[in-house]
Amino acid sequence: MARSLKKCFIYLALLGLFMPGISGGSFADVIIDNGGAGTSYTGTWAASGGTNPYGASSLWSRNGTTYTFTMSGQTAGTYEVLMWWSGYSSRATSVPVAINYTGGTSNVTVNQLENPGRWNSLGTFYFDGSGSVTITAATGDTLSTCADAVQFRFVSSNAAPTATIDSISPNPASPGESITLTGHGTDT
């Protein structure tokens, strides 16, 4: 019995070395609140009276000002990016958000009248340990855009594989004609 229990503990210890999130793993979700380390902005962002902010407060602005939440020094991997905004009746319904990840920028639009006071997913992206989310305030004298908090939720340290099409035959193809794709993939 003691020998079997010892083998079980050794197995669990080894498992912890190779699986992030179990004792010995080295990742963490990153939450960046407005005004905290990793934030920067252009223009004026004022304290908001919005309901259900993340933490103690949220900010608001309008007319093209920007607010950026930057993650750095983290484990490389895939992260789900989520955003939190407080509720207010003048929130814009088309707020541009740029997610800067390893390999590019994804532009999404969020409706800040929907789902205030909770985490809202913007998608899943691969980061080499750093990246950012930039909100651009909607234009209009009666609209407000909220900057409150962004979460980078760790999903996996495994980079997504890449696929490449090397040839297409026949090329060009006629409508309804069968084609053959030849390609390769890599997975680090």
Side-chain angles (χ1 to χ4, degrees):
M1 169 88 171
R3 178 173 280 169
S4 157
L5 190 56
K6 185 176 178 182
K7 284 182 183 178
C8 182
F9 283 124
I10 290 171
Y11 173 76
L12 289 173
L14 288 172
L15 188 62
L17 290 175
F18 297 108
M19 291 186 64
I22 298 176
S23 179
S26 61
F27 75 85
D29 295 345
V30 177
I31 297 176
I32 304 171
D33 198 2
N34 64 282
T39 62
S40 60
Y41 59 91
T42 64
T44 302
W45 289 81
S48 173
T51 58
N52 299 316
Y54 180 86
S57 66
S58 64
L59 303 173
W60 77 275
S61 191
R62 61 173 52 122
N63 297 328
T65 61
T66 62
Y67 203 94
T68 301
F69 300 84
T70 302
M71 167 184 77
S72 62
Q74 300 302 311
T75 300
T78 303
Y79 289 78
E80 181 181 13
V81 177
L82 302 106
M83 184 182 290
W84 184 297
W85 51 85
S86 63
Y88 204 80
S89 62
S90 65
R91 292 291 186 245
T93 58
S94 295
V95 177
V97 178
I99 301 143
N100 297 301
Y101 62 96
T102 302
T105 300
S106 179
N107 295 297
V108 299
T109 302
V110 299
N111 180 346
Q112 289 192 338
L113 279 178
E114 292 182 353
N115 304 318
R118 60 172 254 193
W119 291 114
N120 295 276
S121 181
L122 304 180
T124 305
F125 307 90
Y126 184 81
F127 295 90
D128 65 1
S130 63
S132 66
V133 173
T134 299
I135 303 165
T136 300
T139 300
D141 291 337
T142 60
L143 298 175
S144 67
T145 297
C146 179
D148 197 347
V150 168
Q151 179 178 175
F152 297 86
R153 184 180 291 162
F154 186 83
V155 176
S156 170
S157 61
N158 185 17
T162 58
T164 304
I165 297 173
D166 296 320
S167 67
I168 302 172
S169 178
N171 188 7
S174 299
E177 184 176 9
S178 293
I179 61 169
T180 302
L181 303 174
T182 304
H184 69 278
T186 58
D187 188 357
T188 58

